[in-house]
Amino acid sequence: MPDGTTVLVDGAAGTVAVDPPEEAAADAHRRAARARADADAARGAARAPVTTRDGAPVRGGANAASAAEAARAVAEGADELGLVRTELLFLDRPTLPDEDEQAAALTALLEAAEGRPVVVRTLDVGGDKAAPALDLDPVRNGFLGERGLRWSLNHPDVFAAQLRAVLRAARGHRVRLMFPMVTTRDEVERAREALDAARRDLDAAGTARGDVEQVGIMVEVPAAAAAADLLAPAVDFFSIGSNDLLSYLMAADRTLSSVAPLRDPRHPAFLRLVGGICAAADAAGIWVGVCGDIAGDPELAVLLAGLGVTELSGAPPAVPAVKAALRAVTLEEAQALARTAARGPGTYPGGAPRAPGGAQPPGQQGTP
Ligand code: PEP
Ligand code: MG
């Protein structure tokens, strides 16, 4: 193709035209300008907080792992950062980042969040997240092995350095700390003790620090989901890790595309479990978010809000569409959709509407 040839690529239609007629090129320019203006308008609207059409507050967050991603989330209108995967600082390198490096990276990310609440998750290595510096064993640290909080509790020095880094970075920022892969209440209590010890260590050394405003857990192990009422009194919030929870619940490995259809977030088994988690949280007065990939899907966001979820945190570019979908429904409509979906196709024909888990889905939960 000679230099200067005009090529028209239409990503939406999946077409490419070489040397298109003048009118087609002009039309493409007009459509591109309109698409840019629509996206800008959606982004502008996304900056305002979200309520459903009848005024129930739902927060639209985004996940970020670096200062650049945090800035992107803010630009897309995120109310908060619902998941910071701190392990990304540990992957793809031969040595561990020390406490100072961790504190500096987190500080940069928190600054980019411009005062919004930020949920910082402690190390979640193992499973699908390999880290050369940690010499992880694919079986011992596999999906059913020592990963997430299990690994941190067994490596107290690495855990303590990370907790100190979080407390140092929290100065002047709104940080919520979250533990991944929790299975039992005992694990939460041991993690909270480690946090207390990190505070004491910094104070004894006279090191300046801030503090975390809330402590929560990922609900991504089916045992934690099924017995959420036993965990709720020990924390300030739950964040549902739907990537792992769906995989463990459906016994369908999250890295295998051949079983991907089984990891269906509309399956009644999953929706009922989410309804039960929300009911347990509501009874304890704490809030529930979702930070797995499904939180970035506008239709699923509505279903999840109908089940009682009050914070959705997916990929940054998803924020405007998720917020728009939540604004378009009333809470009652979302609850009705969730009830129908949780009953499943062909179940309870003509029966009275029943909420997932047999309880009425909670409309409101503890305030964030
Ligand atoms: C999840 O499991 O849904 C989650 C958000 O955590 P990760 O994908 O990092 O395991
Ligand atoms: Mg997970």
Side-chain angles (χ1 to χ4, degrees):
M1 195 184 313
D3 277 0
T5 308
T6 302
V7 178
L8 181 57
V9 181
D10 185 336
T15 57
V16 177
V18 178
D19 259 336
E22 232 172 73
E23 182 46 35
D27 182 53
H29 279 298
R30 275 194 299 276
R31 284 190 291 136
R34 209 177 314 126
R36 270 196 302 275
D38 287 351
D40 285 350
R43 251 187 240 116
R47 292 208 181 91
V50 193
T51 64
T52 55
R53 219 168 68 235
D54 52 344
V58 187
R59 285 132 48 214
N63 301 343
S66 63
E69 282 180 21
R72 172 83 196 269
V74 168
E76 295 290 351
D79 299 324
E80 57 192 63
L81 302 186
L83 170 62
V84 173
R85 289 181 165 99
T86 55
E87 59 276 4
L88 292 199
L89 190 63
F90 287 67
L91 309 182
D92 299 326
R93 54 185 290 165
T95 55
L96 289 182
D98 65 15
E99 184 180 319
D100 287 348
E101 184 181 346
Q102 292 184 58
L106 268 176
T107 301
L109 190 151
L110 291 167
E111 274 162 10
E114 297 179 358
R116 289 162 183 76
V118 177
V119 177
V120 176
R121 181 175 78 180
T122 60
L123 255 189
D124 184 20
V125 289
D128 57 330
K129 300 169 187 91
L134 299 177
D135 195 22
L136 299 176
D137 176 82
V139 174
R140 208 185 72 227
N141 307 108
F143 282 113
L144 298 181
E146 208 184 311
R147 62 169 290 209
L149 184 60
R150 300 171 184 183
W151 189 91
S152 292
L153 289 173
N154 287 341
H155 296 81
D157 293 346
V158 178
F159 194 31
Q162 179 170 47
L163 293 171
R164 286 194 302 267
V166 173
L167 290 169
R168 284 169 55 187
R171 272 181 92 200
H173 298 289
R174 298 189 59 190
V175 175
R176 297 167 177 180
L177 188 68
M178 178 159 76
F179 302 118
M181 265 303 277
V182 168
T183 312
T184 66
R185 171 115 171 207
D186 169 68
E187 289 171 340
V188 181
E189 275 154 15
R190 287 167 61 206
R192 294 197 78 130
E193 277 161 25
L195 176 63
D196 285 340
R199 289 187 183 106
R200 284 195 302 274
D201 285 353
L202 289 172
D203 293 346
T207 308
R209 70 166 174 95
D211 211 339
V212 296
E213 60 179 33
Q214 296 185 348
V215 175
I217 57 169
M218 302 269 310
V219 178
E220 51 188 348
V221 175
D229 59 322
L230 303 181
L231 295 166
V235 292
D236 302 307
F237 67 92
F238 286 154
S239 186
I240 297 174
S242 49
N243 303 339
D244 278 312
L245 185 55
L246 269 168
S247 167
Y248 291 130
L249 179 67
M250 310 308 277
D253 191 318
R254 64 187 272 183
T255 64
L256 291 180
S257 57
S258 55
V259 289
L262 285 171
R263 296 191 299 274
D264 175 9
R266 289 178 176 79
H267 193 287
F270 179 71
L271 297 175
R272 291 176 197 181
L273 201 56
V274 171
I277 295 166
C278 291
D282 194 44
I286 67 170
W287 58 271
V288 181
V290 173
C291 63
D293 295 344
I294 63 170
D297 178 310
E299 260 181 48
L300 287 169
V302 168
L303 271 190
L304 293 166
L307 292 168
V309 168
T310 56
E311 183 237 31
L312 292 142
S313 189
V319 174
V322 166
K323 283 189 160 186
L326 292 166
R327 284 197 185 101
V329 289
T330 65
L331 187 58
E332 226 173 277
E333 287 164 354
Q335 287 171 341
L337 283 171
R339 269 198 299 271
T340 305
R343 278 203 300 272
T347 331
Y348 311 125
R354 290 201 350 208
Q360 207 59 21
Q364 303 294 325
Q365 293 170 273
T367 44

